[in-house]
Amino acid sequence: DPLSVTSINPTTAPVGSTITITGTSFNATPASNTVTFSGNVPAQVVSATPTQLVVTVPAGAQNGPITVATGGATAQSPSG
């Protein structure tokens, strides 16, 4: 399956909390996934499976799409 982001839960969260990104074709190695919040702010990936990433909301994150990149592919969350 191509890399995709299907949902984010919760859609808004305070800095330092974790959110779960659901989708397809993520890398199961947390460090192999690059997650960027709106405003081009990188986030730490806490855990990863091929269909789920848990990331920490970074300081400076803005509401808007979240981008996931791995293996040369990039996917963006539905805006919300």
Side-chain angles (χ1 to χ4, degrees):
D1 289 340
L3 180 67
S4 70
V5 175
T6 54
S7 69
I8 303 208
N9 187 37
T11 52
T12 58
V15 169
S17 62
T18 57
I19 65 165
T20 301
I21 300 171
T22 304
T24 57
S25 297
F26 300 143
N27 192 304
T29 304
S32 295
N33 300 282
T34 302
V35 176
T36 309
F37 278 65
S38 187
N40 205 28
V41 182
Q44 178 186 5
V45 179
V46 179
S47 67
T49 70
T51 58
Q52 203 169 68
L53 299 176
V54 175
V55 302
T56 303
V57 177
Q62 301 170 10
N63 283 338
I66 294 173
T67 303
V68 176
T70 186
T74 303
Q76 196 170 62
S77 69
S79 44

